[in-house]
Amino acid sequence: MAVSLLTQEVSDLCLGKPALRRLSASANIGDALSALKRLRETYLSVWTCNHDHDHDHDASFGSSSKSDDCVCIAGLVTHLEPHASLVEAIDLMLEGAQNVVIPIQSRRNSISSRKKLLLHNKPSANSTLHNNREYCWLAQEDLIRYLLNFIGLFNPTPINPINTLNVIETQNILAIQYDSPALAALPLISQALVNHTSVAIVDADGKLIGEISPFTLNSCDESVSAAIATLSAGDLMAYIDCGGPPEELVQTVKDRLEERNLGAFLELMEEESIITSSSDDEFGGSGGHGRSGRLGGYSARLVRRSEAIVCYPWSSLVAVMIQALAHRVSYVWVVEEDGSLVGIVTFVGVLKVFRERLKSMI
């Protein structure tokens, strides 16, 4: 069993995963924003291949010339051959790749059917074809979930407390005090986006109160920029909670915008309010909660509450893995019994532990 895990082909992890939608590298920012809103996606892959030109080559992997190859261009995305091993995928992520792009070895007749359909329609970001190929990508979560299926092979490591495995990151934690201006959190939010984590909100005693998640911010409409410009980090955390911003906070934002003569921001909030009202009328109202289909500042995409997911230094590694996967996050905050923030466990840290154990199996 251990040997088969070491030689497992990474393409097996793509089974059941959707093919990547694409956006041409020549598209402008407006095209990207339009596609994201139209498709209700949080991301689109950007490719260098010419999607407007039909390449009549074999759709199976490895049959096209190098000049026809499509490349997903992003600093944190790496291509990998479908027959590469699981270990190779883990190593790429430990080297800094956030996602690994894998060609999907679809049946030729299936690809040909989609190709014929596209001939009668102008190619768009709805398409999953990249010069007659389809790709999926694997995230850290996919590898962790797969390793969990073989957790028994790694005993006793998974049942050991995390404070014995050197997996808790205690340095350079992305955290900000509750009363600090939300604007001061922007550099931390940018870094959290790269790290697939969030920004911790702590009180004066260093106790964890909640978090600001880039994922949650991404689900907000444009008016959240006004909240960032006027609120404290703690109030912003409450503003972006998945239930929608409290009315008193919305009014606070408007009052402060007026005080600072930020009329453009105020107009933006009013425009979004009109859109929200229209959405209520179209979909039959807000259900009596004063919330619209956009959740008072949110799109209809799935969002997450700002309540932080936590564990303790004595929690087992497998418990932390299950906790993160259950909440669809790639990290868990580590706190003491009194709520004091100790550090964070990330999927990258967990992959390091499993990579060391895999080395011992070789």
Side-chain angles (χ1 to χ4, degrees), residues 281-321:
D281 294 339
E282 181 179 353
F283 293 103
S286 58
H289 297 288
R291 308 296 189 195
S292 72
R294 293 178 64 84
L295 299 176
Y298 288 79
S299 71
R301 292 192 297 266
L302 176 67
V303 295
R304 191 165 53 82
R305 295 187 66 87
S306 55
E307 181 180 354
I309 310 302
V310 303
C311 66
Y312 301 97
W314 55 86
S315 299
S316 68
L317 180 64
V318 66
V320 173
M321 292 170 62

Side-chain angles (χ1 to χ4, degrees), residues 204-217:
D205 298 320
K207 294 182 179 179
L208 183 65
I209 298 175
E211 67 178 17
I212 297 176
S213 165
F215 177 77
T216 304
L217 281 172

Side-chain angles (χ1 to χ4, degrees), residues 41 49 58-59 70 91 135-136 145 207 209 227 311 326:
E41 297 280 6
C49 51
D58 195 314
C70 285
D91 286 342
Y135 295 78
C136 80
R145 193 179 298 277
K207 294 182 179 179
I209 298 175
C311 66

Side-chain angles (χ1 to χ4, degrees), residues 163-334:
N163 59 2
T164 66
L165 299 173
N166 194 32
V167 72
I168 303 175
E169 298 178 27
T170 58
Q171 303 297 319
N172 302 318
I173 298 175
L174 301 177
I176 190 170
Q177 285 203 357
Y178 187 97
D179 294 325
S180 298
L183 280 173
L186 284 181
L188 301 179
I189 294 171
S190 297
Q191 188 60 46
L193 182 62
V194 174
N195 296 345
H196 285 196
T197 58
S198 293
V199 179
I201 306 297
V202 298
D203 63 15
D205 298 320
K207 294 182 179 179
L208 183 65
I209 298 175
E211 67 178 17
I212 297 176
S213 165
F215 177 77
T216 304
L217 281 172
N218 184 62
S219 300
C220 298
D221 59 39
E222 291 84 350
S223 66
V224 74
S225 58
I228 295 174
T230 56
L231 297 178
S232 68
D235 284 343
L236 176 63
M237 178 184 69
Y239 189 95
I240 67 174
D241 200 8
C242 69
E247 291 183 6
E248 59 270 21
L249 273 183
V250 174
Q251 189 58 50
T252 297
V253 171
K254 291 181 178 180
D255 292 343
R256 291 178 181 175
L257 291 175
E258 289 182 353
E259 292 171 3
R260 302 175 189 182
N261 296 317
L262 297 174
F265 273 126
L266 192 56
E267 290 177 7
L268 178 62
M269 291 192 71
E270 295 299 338
E271 288 175 4
E272 289 297 336
S273 178
I274 293 173
I275 293 173
T276 294
S277 298
S278 300
S279 179
D280 281 341
D281 294 339
E282 181 179 353
F283 293 103
S286 58
H289 297 288
R291 308 296 189 195
S292 72
R294 293 178 64 84
L295 299 176
Y298 288 79
S299 71
R301 292 192 297 266
L302 176 67
V303 295
R304 191 165 53 82
R305 295 187 66 87
S306 55
E307 181 180 354
I309 310 302
V310 303
C311 66
Y312 301 97
W314 55 86
S315 299
S316 68
L317 180 64
V318 66
V320 173
M321 292 170 62
I322 293 173
Q323 191 176 11
L325 290 172
H327 291 279
R328 298 302 304 272
V329 293
S330 58
Y331 62 93
V332 177
W333 299 107
V334 185

Side-chain angles (χ1 to χ4, degrees), residues 2 5-6 87 90 94 147 150-160 165 317 349-362:
L5 180 61
L6 289 170
V87 173
I90 293 176
L94 293 182
L147 288 169
F150 300 90
I151 200 69
L153 295 178
F154 299 93
N155 280 334
T157 299
I159 59 175
N160 287 339
L165 299 173
L317 180 64
V350 175
L351 287 174
K352 287 180 181 178
V353 172
F354 280 95
R355 184 63 181 92
E356 288 301 315
R357 289 289 287 117
L358 285 170
K359 283 182 180 178
S360 67
M361 296 179 181
I362 298 177

